Amino acid sequence: MLLYYRALSASLVSTMLLATSAIAQVDLSGAASQSPPSADRGGRILVGFEGLGSATISGGSVVTLESALLPPNPPDDRDTIIATSPFFLVGEQAGGIGSAVIEGAGTSLVLQGNENTATLHTGNRGGTGTLEIRDGALVRVLDLAPAARTVSDLGTAIFTGARGGTGTLLVDNASAEVVSTFGAFMFIGDLGGNGTAVIRNGSSLSITEIASTEAGNDGNGASIVVGRARADEGGGGGTGSLVIDGSTVSITSANAVAQLVAGREDGTFGSVQLTNGAQVSLSGAQALVQIGQDGGSQGILAMDGGAVLSLDGGGSASPLRVGAAFTDFGRDEGGSGVLQMTGAGTRLEVIGNAIVGAPEAFGGGNGSGIVSVSQGATLQAGTVFLGTGGALVGNGGIIDANVTLDGGVIAPGLSPGSLSVLGDLTALSGIFDFEFAGAGPGQFDQLNIFGNLSLSEQTTFRFSFLDGFLPEDGAVLDFLTVEGDITGASPNVVFEGVGDDLGLSLFARDGTFALARNDPFIPGGPGNGDGNGETVAPIPLPASALLLLTGVAGIISVRRRRRHEV
């Protein structure tokens, strides 16, 4: 049944075409307007347009906003595409303050594009808007026509906080989806806007680009971008926050890239939190997670409470990028990114590699990335490349990957603690950073490598002592274990904050690297003097086979040298 719903408020000046499957319960008040589709203009609801307005859709209503009655002509003109698209806008223009609620099982809002786009805005062009979708309701933003377009920056989308606006989107025990044949997007904090989106309480959100039957339409990708800017649009960088709490999110593209981005361009900031068993999946010809993408951007992805993020995209060799730069492949400057993972059951699963910072193997560049994995969380990947400006840290975390240290830092523990690498670790250059606050279990950093270890002369072991702690004579502290083979050259060694006469040395035995004081296993040392050192180690090691560290092969002592730059 097609109904025309006329506003009761004097400020509502037009009508809107509503398609309903039940008696419509759509309440509009204040500075709101509604209009049906015409030959060249899509159907629209504006709530809080240059004033205070509100809207409620409930009671099982199914409300559809449709495209213009005629397809966009010309089909590739940006302004025409926008004009003919359906819109739902909450908080529009300076002085606009809007709030909208869509609630109840069976209640839905559908924006139906037709060879153009469909757009839902909350807080746009200086306005302030809040949209709540809750209690079983559904919002669908669609454009399923198979049109082939050349205007690549347009797509079907949900915007929250755009062009200087402030927007808040809450999906609470409800569902939202964006589906298109040419670009399906969600932007949070866009073009100088400030946006917050919370998906919680068993909700679902899907951003899906489906394959088109139209020749020449290879798709435009599917993305959630938190913090975006565009030089050609103006408005500065956006600030965005996305929280996925106990809910499911999917980002899928049939033929192009599926992306989750936190902080994309210069001047942007994006924060993404996955918590309380959240499940997030990306699937496409390529699947990318980028945290602090371009130079000047800042991004953070925090995962805890058993949250799982999985990436499945065979077309990208390195789908996880944290403050990444790779000059040889077109990005000489990355942003500043943080990936923080905490808690048993928390997992990030990557088919492919991860880039953190600016690895020299990819041409280097400028970028800053930190990956922190703690308390039983697991990062699973092919190889994690730690470049200049990149760091891998964490206490009780598991890296189910090979690791290549290529100018970055590995710092097990969070003052102090342990970190486990299940694959091989290849150290081309960079720093292993170990902290010691005592000689007891858990008081100093430990790195456990279950594969092979390869060291180089460009590698540095750096040791720091906290809270006034210094090893006693005869103390042996094993800080690094390797289950596989050890190859390569002797690393550089730096002891920070101690005098030249302290007598600290490094030892290796059967894959265990230890720090000791005053050469306890050399005849004449503070042990029993027979070279076996059976009585000198408060942390016992089978010392009969203990050798002075030679890097790999020989038997030489590695003494303290003054700290130098690496």
Side-chain angles (χ1 to χ4, degrees):
M1 176 175 60
L2 296 179
L3 299 178
Y4 284 91
Y5 179 88
R6 185 171 299 276
L8 300 180
S9 170
S11 63
L12 303 184
V13 295
S14 58
T15 59
M16 175 192 66
L17 186 65
L18 302 179
T20 69
S21 61
I23 297 175
Q25 296 187 28
V26 184
D27 297 321
L28 303 174
S29 64
S33 64
Q34 44 188 353
S35 58
S38 63
D40 57 359
R41 189 175 181 86
R44 303 184 178 193
I45 295 179
L46 275 65
V47 181
F49 182 79
E50 297 182 337
L52 183 64
S54 65
T56 300
I57 303 173
S58 61
S61 296
V62 178
V63 178
T64 299
L65 299 178
E66 297 180 330
S67 290
L69 302 180
L70 298 176
N73 184 26
D76 282 344
D77 178 72
R78 177 185 175 89
D79 292 339
T80 302
I81 290 172
I82 293 174
T84 58
S85 300
F87 280 86
F88 187 92
L89 297 98
V90 184
E92 175 74 9
Q93 301 291 345
I97 302 174
S99 62
V101 175
I102 304 169
E103 62 183 354
T107 302
S108 66
L109 169 67
V110 181
L111 280 65
Q112 180 65 68
N114 180 26
E115 297 187 8
N116 41 29
T117 66
T119 307
L120 188 154
H121 274 284
T122 305
N124 189 46
R125 299 187 185 278
T128 299
T130 300
L131 171 61
E132 296 185 13
I133 309 165
R134 63 195 189 197
D135 301 332
L138 169 66
V139 169
R140 307 185 74 201
V141 185
L142 312 174
D143 179 15
L144 306 181
R149 292 199 301 269
T150 60
V151 185
S152 61
D153 64 332
L154 290 178
T156 299
I158 294 175
F159 290 85
T160 303
R163 291 176 171 83
T166 299
T168 301
L169 171 65
L170 173 64
V171 184
D172 187 352
N173 187 29
S175 300
E177 59 183 51
V178 178
V179 185
S180 175
T181 60
F182 190 79
F185 306 117
M186 182 176 190
F187 298 108
I188 305 166
D190 188 51
L191 304 177
N194 191 320
T196 300
V198 178
I199 318 298
R200 71 184 186 193
N201 194 19
S203 294
S204 66
L205 169 67
S206 60
I207 310 296
T208 306
E209 181 185 62
I210 61 177
S212 172
T213 59
E214 183 79 6
N217 184 356
D218 296 325
N220 199 22
S223 301
I224 296 178
V225 180
V226 186
R228 186 179 79 139
R230 289 185 50 144
D232 58 337
E233 291 273 355
T239 297
S241 171
L242 170 63
V243 177
I244 304 171
D245 181 354
S247 297
T248 302
V249 173
S250 64
I251 307 171
T252 306
S253 175
N255 299 314
V257 62
Q259 290 193 84
L260 173 63
V261 182
R264 199 169 84 169
E265 291 89 1
D266 183 15
T268 63
F269 174 79
S271 170
V272 178
Q273 180 184 9
L274 314 182
T275 188
N276 193 25
Q279 302 283 317
V280 179
S281 62
L282 283 73
S283 177
Q286 298 183 64
L288 297 176
V289 169
Q290 305 200 69
I291 310 168
Q293 177 177 311
D294 295 343
S297 66
Q298 299 180 65
I300 180 169
L301 169 59
M303 303 175 57
D304 61 27
V308 176
L309 171 59
S310 60
L311 285 72
D312 183 3
S316 176
S318 301
L320 175 61
R321 302 169 183 178
V322 184
F326 28 87
T327 297
D328 287 352
F329 299 93
R331 183 184 298 172
D332 57 6
E333 188 170 0
S336 176
V338 176
L339 169 61
Q340 180 177 318
M341 304 175 60
T342 307
T346 301
R347 294 181 61 86
L348 199 164
E349 301 169 349
V350 178
I351 298 177
N353 302 323
I355 299 177
V356 186
E360 292 301 321
F362 303 141
N366 295 311
S368 175
I370 298 174
V371 174
S372 175
V373 186
S374 296
Q375 299 176 20
T378 300
L379 170 59
Q380 177 183 323
T383 298
V384 177
F385 291 92
L386 295 171
T388 302
L392 175 61
V393 303
N395 183 15
I398 300 168
I399 310 301
D400 188 1
N402 298 319
V403 175
T404 297
L405 182 63
D406 190 10
V409 176
I410 296 177
L414 296 173
S415 300
S418 66
L419 192 65
S420 296
V421 175
L422 302 189
D424 299 334
L425 197 157
T426 302
L428 304 175
S429 63
I431 297 173
F432 292 84
D433 216 342
F434 297 94
E435 294 181 327
F436 295 78
Q443 292 185 299
F444 58 92
D445 290 340
Q446 291 181 300
L447 178 62
N448 305 305
I449 302 170
F450 289 82
N452 303 317
L453 172 64
S454 176
L455 296 169
S456 76
E457 294 178 349
Q458 285 73 47
T459 304
T460 296
F461 282 6
R462 184 168 65 193
F463 300 93
S464 303
F465 300 94
L466 308 178
D467 303 325
F469 168 76
L470 290 174
E472 297 180 354
D473 282 355
V476 179
L477 311 177
D478 49 331
F479 61 88
L480 173 60
T481 63
V482 182
E483 289 202 358
D485 296 331
I486 303 172
T487 58
S490 299
N492 301 305
V493 178
V494 171
F495 295 108
E496 290 195 331
V498 297
D500 292 332
D501 58 351
L502 194 61
L504 294 172
S505 300
L506 302 186
F507 295 82
R509 171 217 165 263
D510 293 340
T512 298
F513 289 68
L515 175 67
R517 185 173 178 183
N518 287 332
D519 297 344
F521 305 113
I522 295 178
N528 60 13
D530 63 2
N532 293 323
E534 296 175 349
T535 64
V536 302
I539 302 175
L541 295 173
S544 59
L546 198 65
L547 303 176
L548 286 172
L549 177 65
T550 67
V552 181
I555 304 178
I556 61 172
S557 177
V558 181
R559 296 294 184 179
R560 181 190 185 277
R561 63 190 68 178
R562 294 189 182 277
R563 183 175 179 181
H564 57 278
E565 296 300 322
V566 296

